[in-house]
Every structure is written in structure tokens, then in C-alpha cells.
Amino acid sequence: MKSFMDRRTFIQTLCILGAGKAVESFAAPLNTTSFSSSLVQVSETRNLMGTFVTITLLHPSRDQAQTVLGTAFHKMENWVQLFNRHESGTPLDYLNERGFIKNPPPELVKVLRQSLMIHSRTGGLFDVTVKPLLDLYETENRLGHLPSDPSIQEALNRVGASGLKIEPKKISFCKEGMGITLDGIAKGTIVDKIIGFLQGNGIEHALVDAGGDLRVFGGRNGTGLPWRIAVHDPVNERATGERIFLTDGAVATSGNYMVYFDQEKIHHHILSPESGLSPSWSVSSSIIAPTAEEADALATATMVLDRRESQSLINQDRRLAALWITREGEKIKSLRWKRIMERRERGSDHA
């Protein structure tokens, strides 16, 4: 069987954290030119985390903004290594290889605890221990076919967050052959850490976009005008896509359209820890949340949850908004997403 990956997916699979989100910005900032005369824009894009990462700052001093920008990328590179499961010798690789790690980095402990919280919120369908399943699909894909039902069941026997034990000075697995992938949350975590660094270093207006995991604060000029963001439509490639407006907050998109194992994209990198199969009701899920970490994880989780459960999860939390696109091209919007769009249609430029 041919591996159905386009050029962007190929880049993604070569790079770290590549199976979590799309390579380019499927929730992307639109070009803007309206800035306060007292602020200058400094922006840079680098290839990190299997995608293109763009950091845009507005600040009175170009030199100071450029210094902060360079340091932010340096810190991002260091944080990426903490969550990299592909490179030998990283903390996550050590845990996956040996089944335990003593004195783990605090950042790894924190993101795993957050993962378990979201696991609980989603009835167990967001599960970072699906690595054995993902490894199985990737291995079988290289051999030219899909996994058999017995092989999927065998991998499922090694999946389950209940087998992940987090102690003050040790992380361990309770079952042999378990493994963790942070592809569904770590990119958002790193975006949030960069936002925190920027805010702690005198930056009052910024956008950080990691290939579809995006967070902003302070608006796009000195008057608090919101950042304008476009959400990609994978069904209708020629469509302009939904536009949303954010002054402070995050949006993340997950989809079936970048890493997949069959031409129909029925089998892809987002996998259910219950069935071992990819969800089929939607092709993408975009979530607005206060943090990129939460948006990232819930974008993945609400693809695994069924339609009714996804809508219920998002609608019961007034901090969240969501847009799902089905295989048929239907756009399903949460209640708050609809309100955001209604405000735009009334002429408001604020979310």
C-alpha cells in the first residue's frame, strides 16, 4: 500500500512532534497592517515541532523586540526536547524505552498531569498512552498495509492512562510495552510557555502560531483591536474559511488530512483508545480556549468523541468555542462560536 502523504506531511513526519497537528497554519493569522504609530512589528518564522512556527511581536523598541524574539525561539528549542519522543536520549524517549524515569523534568510531570485531567474530562478518550497503536499503524503503513484486527487488539492491551503512574520523583508504566505520545498536547503547552515568557519580558502585544496551535494577547495594536484569524476548510480547499477575532486567547485545529494511512483518510493519526480506530464523523476540529494547551488537547479529544458528546463537552463550558467540519462538508458550530460570528456580522471587531 502506498503511503498517502503529501510534501507537507513528509516534512512533518521527519520532524519532532510531527503527528499531532498540521504542518502549516490551519488556524492562521490574517495579514494585518493596522498598527499604532508608536509600535513596530517584529516577526520571524522557523521550522520547529514538525511545522512552521511564527512569533509576531508589537513593541515600541524594535531592538528590544528582536532580542526577546531570539530568546523566545531559543527557549522553545529547549522545551521541545523535553517532549520529543523521536530523538534518542530525551526524557520522553527514556521513559518510553525503559518504562520509567526517575527525577523527571518538572515540565514533563506538569504536562502529563494536565493530560490526565483532560483524560478524565473526556471520559478517557483523550489518552496520551496511545503510542503503541500509533507505532503499529506507522509500522504497518511502511510495510504497505493496514494493521489486522488481532494486532490492533494486542496494541490496545498496552494502552490505558490507568497504567501511567506519576509520583513526586518518578514516572512509570504499570504494563510492559506501554508508551506515551504528547503529540496531542505538547505543541499547545510550548506555545503557552512562550506566551508566558513574552509577557514576563515586557511584551504587551503578541501572536504565537505553531502550525495551527495559535495564541494571542494584547490585540494587534495599541487600542486592543483583535487579531483576525482564518480557520482552514479541508473539505472545500477553495473556500476562504471561517474567520474569528481574538484579543486574548488560543485556537487549535486537529484534522485527518495531514497524516493518514489510506487514500480515503479513514485511517489517520488520531486514534481512539477504546476501538483502536480513527474517528470518522469529522475531518477537523477547531477549538477556542483560554490556553493553547487546552485548545490543542480538546481539538484532538473532540474528534475522538462522537458528535453529541463533543458538542456537550464544549457547550457546557462558557470559556470554549468549537467548529467541526464533517466528511460531507457540513460545518457544526458550538453555541459560543455562533455568537462570535454573529458579533462579527453585526460589525464588531471583537470576540
Side-chain angles (χ1 to χ4, degrees), residues 307-320:
R307 177 169 173 167
R308 180 187 59 80
E309 292 170 331
S310 294
Q311 291 178 292
S312 176
L313 175 67
I314 299 302
N315 285 333
Q316 68 185 0
D317 190 332
R318 287 184 291 180
R319 303 172 308 121
L320 306 176

Side-chain angles (χ1 to χ4, degrees), residues 237-266:
E237 295 287 348
R238 296 183 179 181
T240 303
E242 295 282 324
R243 284 179 169 81
I244 57 175
F245 301 84
L246 288 179
T247 302
D248 296 276
V251 58
T253 298
S254 288
N256 72 340
Y257 40 83
M258 291 306 296
V259 180
Y260 46 92
F261 308 113
D262 64 327
Q263 190 170 16
E264 294 77 20
K265 304 179 187 177
I266 294 172

Side-chain angles (χ1 to χ4, degrees), residues 81-101:
Q81 290 306 306
L82 292 175
F83 309 130
N84 184 359
R85 65 182 175 88
H86 298 285
E87 186 175 331
S88 177
T90 65
L92 189 55
D93 173 72
Y94 187 98
L95 172 60
N96 285 334
E97 285 293 320
R98 303 197 177 210
F100 71 93
I101 182 172

Side-chain angles (χ1 to χ4, degrees), residues 143-316:
L143 296 175
H145 49 75
L146 293 168
S148 65
D149 290 343
S151 64
I152 291 174
Q153 187 56 53
E154 190 279 329
L156 281 172
N157 292 334
R158 293 178 282 124
V159 172
S162 61
L164 174 61
K165 189 175 183 180
I166 304 175
E167 301 173 279
K169 295 185 177 181
K170 183 180 180 182
I171 302 171
S172 59
F173 301 141
C174 298
K175 296 180 183 179
E176 186 175 352
M178 289 184 66
I180 284 175
T181 171
L182 296 175
D183 295 347
I185 190 171
K187 196 189 297 184
T189 300
I190 293 170
V191 168
D192 287 339
K193 291 179 74 65
I194 291 298
I195 290 290
F197 168 77
L198 296 176
Q199 291 175 326
N201 283 270
I203 303 300
E204 297 181 356
H205 312 272
L207 177 149
V208 179
D209 176 20
D213 287 11
L214 182 152
R215 184 172 170 184
V216 301
F217 68 91
R220 59 184 171 93
N221 68 7
T223 64
L225 198 65
W227 299 90
R228 295 179 292 178
I229 300 164
V231 179
H232 175 73
D233 184 342
V235 177
N236 187 355
E237 295 287 348
R238 296 183 179 181
T240 303
E242 295 282 324
R243 284 179 169 81
I244 57 175
F245 301 84
L246 288 179
T247 302
D248 296 276
V251 58
T253 298
S254 288
N256 72 340
Y257 40 83
M258 291 306 296
V259 180
Y260 46 92
F261 308 113
D262 64 327
Q263 190 170 16
E264 294 77 20
K265 304 179 187 177
I266 294 172
H267 303 277
H268 51 86
H269 67 280
I270 299 175
L271 298 164
S272 167
E274 291 184 346
S275 68
L277 303 175
S278 298
S280 60
W281 76 276
S282 68
V283 295
S284 74
S285 172
S286 298
I287 303 294
I288 298 173
T291 68
E293 182 180 71
E294 186 175 20
D296 190 6
L298 291 178
T300 300
T302 55
M303 284 198 68
V304 180
L305 291 163
D306 67 28
R307 177 169 173 167
R308 180 187 59 80
E309 292 170 331
S310 294
Q311 291 178 292
S312 176
L313 175 67
I314 299 302
N315 285 333
Q316 68 185 0

